[in-house]
Amino acid sequence: MIRFLLIALAFSAPVTFACEFKDVSFSAKFESGSLDNCELNKKGEYVLTFLPEDKPINPSPWYYFSVKSPVAKTIKVVLTFDGFAPRYLPKVSDDQMSWQSIAFDTNEKGMSMSLEVNSKPLYVAAQRPMPNSEYHNWLEKAAQTYSFEPFVIGKSTAGRSLSAFTLSKPENKEWVIFVGRQHPPEVTGAVAMFAFLDEFLADTASNTDFLSRFNVLVVPNINPDGVAEGHWRHGLGHKDLNRDWNVFSQPETSAVKQYLDIITDGGGKIVMGMDFHSTHNNVFYTIPQDENIAPTEMVVTWLSSLQEQTKGVFKVFDKPGTSPGRGVFKQYFADVYHVHGVTYEVGDNEPDEKTRYVAKHAARTLINTLNATPPEAFYIKNNEEKAPNH
């Protein structure tokens, strides 16, 4: 077997690799790139290995590499994931902008495909990559359009900025919190968040009722290290951020918590938290109505309205449940603030057009639901908290 030449960059930069064969070369020397080993076996297949950043891990094998050859040819590539099954279906691009699905097969070793290669790099990825720069560009454009000032809420393990923004007025006391990209490969959830925020900002800009009452905190990309490094799940602190909302051992979750503490210490009332993810199918993970949260039926009302708006195109799947002690974002909001936490999950293979359509209606119906909820409804009866006088 012919083994590859390993090229690694410094800790704070994406860890990337390249491997050279006689007439084929592979590389992952770009943001979010991922490739750990490659071999040419006796069958003439190029066997590429992708390893998780940590073990144990909730496996979501990420791969993102390029391949080229000075001579146009068809090659067979086998992707292996340290014994884990593949989750994402391969996409290819010749410009890292436009991506198309490609035929593949699976077996006990992993995933295999045939690639048409030539002197121009062909890129292969688990999902259409969404690098950190895409968040920067979106924030810059949205800030100009809707007149808000992005700020740095904290720093990642590697020192990358955690960008955030608020829509707020000093006289408003009720806060809604949105967080995204805790898990780097979950790109369909990021597509939903961008579409949700675009609609949310457009609607709230013209909806004086909402902005005259509610403040909003948004942290679109809480794991820029994992995104840059092409991680499967974790940040550079070797932990799943969505299992850290209890001990706050990671600087990313700790930065958001510190801001939430500033809100509540200043007399603010957090009324809802939602984070965006991807999984195998569309689902909203919610808090059961019999938990100690208020208002009890608010999320059911919202999702019923969303279903009415999208019926025939989208099936709303509400899956209530709790995860005490696991450090999950939505559970933290239920346990600490006694309000609804929601995990907005988008199916891995959902088309972007459908995802954006649903997210747009999710934003509209949530705004209407929050507007229709009286302030006193966000307080638990007989709780130490006291509802404001109105």
Side-chain angles (χ1 to χ4, degrees), residues 295-325:
T296 303
E297 297 182 356
M298 188 190 79
V299 164
V300 171
T301 301
W302 166 48
L303 293 179
S304 296
S305 180
L306 174 60
Q307 184 63 91
E308 181 64 24
Q309 291 293 315
T310 59
K311 62 183 178 181
V313 176
F314 179 73
K315 174 63 177 176
V316 172
F317 182 29
D318 179 9
K319 189 173 182 180
T322 59
S323 47

Side-chain angles (χ1 to χ4, degrees), residues 184-229:
E186 297 181 3
V187 172
T188 58
V191 171
M193 185 174 199
F194 278 132
F196 179 97
L197 291 175
D198 284 338
E199 190 65 28
F200 193 92
L201 289 168
D203 270 25
T204 53
S206 60
N207 192 323
T208 55
D209 288 342
F210 187 88
L211 289 182
S212 65
R213 176 180 165 190
F214 293 99
N215 292 335
V216 181
L217 169 67
V218 182
V219 189
N221 178 12
I222 197 174
N223 193 355
D225 290 350
V227 171
E229 302 287 340

